[in-house]
Amino acid sequence: MCEFIYIKYADLTLKGNNKTSFINSLYNNIKNAFCNMKINIVKNFDNLKIYCNNSDVNYIISILKYMPGVLYIIKAVEINTDIEEIKKASLNFVSPNSTFKIEVKRKYKGFLDQIEIKKSVAGYLLSNVENLHVNVHNPNTYLWIEIKKNQSIIYSNKTKGIGGLPIGLNGSCLSLISGGIDSCVSSFLMQKKGMKVDYLTFVTSEVTQKTIKKIIGIINRIVLTGKIYKPKLYIVDFTAIQRELSHAKDVNYRITLMRRSFYRIAEKLAIKNNYDCLCSGDSLGQVASQTIESINAINNVLKNKIVFRPLLTYDKNEIINIAQYIHTYELSITNHEDICSMFAPEFPITRPSIDKAIKNESDLDLLEIMEDRTINNVKIFE
């Protein structure tokens, strides 16, 4: 009897070459995550097996839970396809004073049929485990038996993964991150869909190292300190640009102009560093800068890159639930200097006009020069 970790793939609708790419990407991501551990990974068309070789199984599972592309993580055993061995191995998965139900998958049809397997294993368990009962509707334990030609597999509990697609399958993304709740969750969701997500944040002279440290801490939680992916963080000093924007004639347009500047800089960085798209934590109508009119006015500056907004239709409670699940929430709600809130006017415009935004910018003679200069002085943390 051999113990191993059994991985069930997510997004099983993938077929042909797409599925082959899925499997290879997931295999490589898991291999990289545990490169310092003595494990053996075997990839198959419908599953992946990890033989841990005395490595810490619970630690490996704690990482795999957040690995995009993984649907289920299972502690399983592999035994010879022999009914006596299957019966004895099944004893390890049920407990006295409880109930169980057997589920059989026969991938090898040359063995006993499902009913014969269920009757034989159930009878053996009921005879050898005290006060054990069958319950087909709401059992304490589901006992899965997968029959294959030479080696069969038995397991009970499944740990749910996050699903999605393996990182690297869907290109790369530059995510605008502030340190608040939303941008962290949107970055995680893009990562879950198979994108390599790197990060961009804007700081001023009033933003301390404590805030930058907080953002790095949040990113480390999203990627489990490099186990899921090893990202870059681009830090842009926005001080001079913010000072120039403060000269805008219409004070209520400041946030709109600032975000337009963010996206111009982000697009130039994305082009310079070959990112496929941008990502934002906008949720429709949540704040003044996230109305349809505001999003249109801000998005208007982009010429070559699309912005994904995975949280657009999410309620705040839904976003918080995900943040808590990925353990970024506790860090996100700690106090930090937020460049947007520090620069926000008392009455920000909620339905800005693109024409008025452009008119305000046209009066700022140094804006374009300062944005270009900023691009050349970006700090990168890896």
Side-chain angles (χ1 to χ4, degrees), residues 301-363:
V301 304
L302 299 176
K303 308 300 179 187
N304 298 291
K305 297 295 176 183
I306 189 172
V307 181
F308 285 102
R309 294 176 170 89
L311 300 182
L312 205 65
T313 63
Y314 281 52
D315 294 336
K316 194 64 178 184
N317 284 338
E318 292 175 310
I319 299 170
I320 289 173
N321 287 340
I322 298 173
Q324 290 173 331
Y325 177 76
I326 63 175
H327 306 295
T328 58
Y329 179 74
E330 300 84 357
L331 265 180
S332 291
I333 61 175
T334 58
N335 292 330
H336 70 285
E337 300 87 351
D338 182 355
I339 186 172
C340 293
S341 59
M342 289 191 305
F343 194 60
E346 186 175 358
F347 301 106
I349 191 77
T350 58
R351 302 184 187 281
S353 155
I354 294 173
D355 290 339
K356 287 184 179 179
I358 293 172
K359 177 64 174 67
N360 271 275
E361 287 171 344
S362 68
D363 294 330

Side-chain angles (χ1 to χ4, degrees), residues 198-199 231-236 269 272-273 275 375 377-382:
D198 288 338
Y199 298 86
K232 295 177 181 177
L233 169 62
Y234 298 87
I235 300 177
V236 172
L269 275 174
K272 182 179 180 180
N273 295 283
Y275 291 101
I375 294 291
N377 291 285
V378 175
K379 293 183 179 179
I380 305 174
F381 284 81
E382 299 187 59

Side-chain angles (χ1 to χ4, degrees), residues 7-253:
I7 303 296
K8 298 286 189 177
Y9 301 140
D11 215 330
L12 297 179
T13 57
L14 289 171
K15 296 179 181 179
N17 291 333
N18 286 337
K19 186 160 184 179
T20 301
S21 298
F22 178 112
I23 294 167
N24 290 335
S25 294
L26 182 59
Y27 172 85
N28 289 328
N29 291 344
I30 293 175
K31 185 178 179 181
N32 291 335
F34 304 111
C35 60
N36 295 323
M37 301 178 72
K38 294 181 179 179
I39 64 172
N40 183 31
I41 309 171
V42 177
K43 58 182 176 180
N44 300 301
F45 191 71
D46 60 352
N47 65 74
L48 188 148
K49 300 174 182 177
I50 302 176
Y51 298 93
C52 297
N53 302 323
N54 298 318
S55 296
D56 188 338
V57 172
N58 290 330
Y59 170 74
I60 293 172
I61 290 175
S62 73
I63 302 297
L64 292 173
K65 279 174 60 178
Y66 298 95
M67 182 74 69
V70 173
L71 181 62
Y72 288 113
I73 309 109
I74 302 160
K75 289 183 182 180
V77 297
E78 206 166 34
I79 70 295
N80 293 324
T81 301
D82 175 88
I83 193 61
E84 294 303 318
E85 288 197 33
I86 290 170
K87 289 192 294 187
K88 291 176 183 177
S90 297
L91 280 172
N92 297 298
F93 294 93
V94 294
S95 304
N97 306 307
S98 65
T99 59
F100 73 103
K101 178 183 179 181
I102 298 174
E103 299 282 3
V104 176
K105 292 183 179 179
R106 281 173 70 243
K107 298 191 175 182
Y108 171 55
K109 306 302 182 183
F111 194 59
L112 304 174
D113 67 29
Q114 288 191 10
I115 294 174
E116 289 175 307
I117 295 167
K118 287 182 179 182
K119 283 184 176 179
S120 184
V121 174
Y124 182 83
L125 294 176
L126 292 170
S127 299
N128 288 275
V129 181
E130 185 179 355
N131 198 27
L132 180 67
H133 301 281
V134 173
N135 184 334
V136 296
H137 299 294
N138 188 29
N140 300 124
T141 300
Y142 281 92
L143 179 64
W144 281 275
I145 302 172
E146 294 186 9
I147 302 298
K148 301 186 180 183
K149 186 171 184 179
N150 298 313
Q151 297 284 313
S152 292
I153 297 170
I154 302 177
Y155 54 91
S156 58
N157 296 326
K158 297 179 180 180
T159 300
K160 191 79 165 62
I162 64 165
L165 298 168
I167 291 175
L169 202 65
N170 272 335
S172 61
C173 172
L174 186 60
S175 179
L176 282 72
I177 189 168
S178 66
I181 298 169
D182 300 349
S183 56
C184 312
V185 174
S186 65
S187 302
F188 165 77
L189 292 176
M190 294 300 288
Q191 177 177 277
K192 179 185 170 185
K193 290 303 289 183
M195 301 207 81
K196 294 180 178 179
V197 181
D198 288 338
Y199 298 86
L200 167 62
T201 194
F202 294 89
V203 301
T204 67
S205 56
E206 295 173 294
V207 174
T208 65
Q209 287 298 315
K210 181 180 178 182
T211 297
I212 295 173
K213 185 177 179 181
K214 170 185 171 177
I215 291 172
I216 292 172
I218 287 171
I219 293 170
N220 279 332
R221 292 193 181 184
I222 296 170
V223 299
L224 298 187
T225 316
K227 290 295 182 184
I228 303 297
Y229 172 67
K230 293 179 172 61
K232 295 177 181 177
L233 169 62
Y234 298 87
I235 300 177
V236 172
D237 187 343
F238 202 70
T239 306
I241 298 172
Q242 191 179 71
R243 192 178 299 121
E244 179 68 5
L245 291 174
S246 68
H247 297 140
K249 290 181 179 178
D250 193 334
V251 173
N252 294 335
Y253 266 78

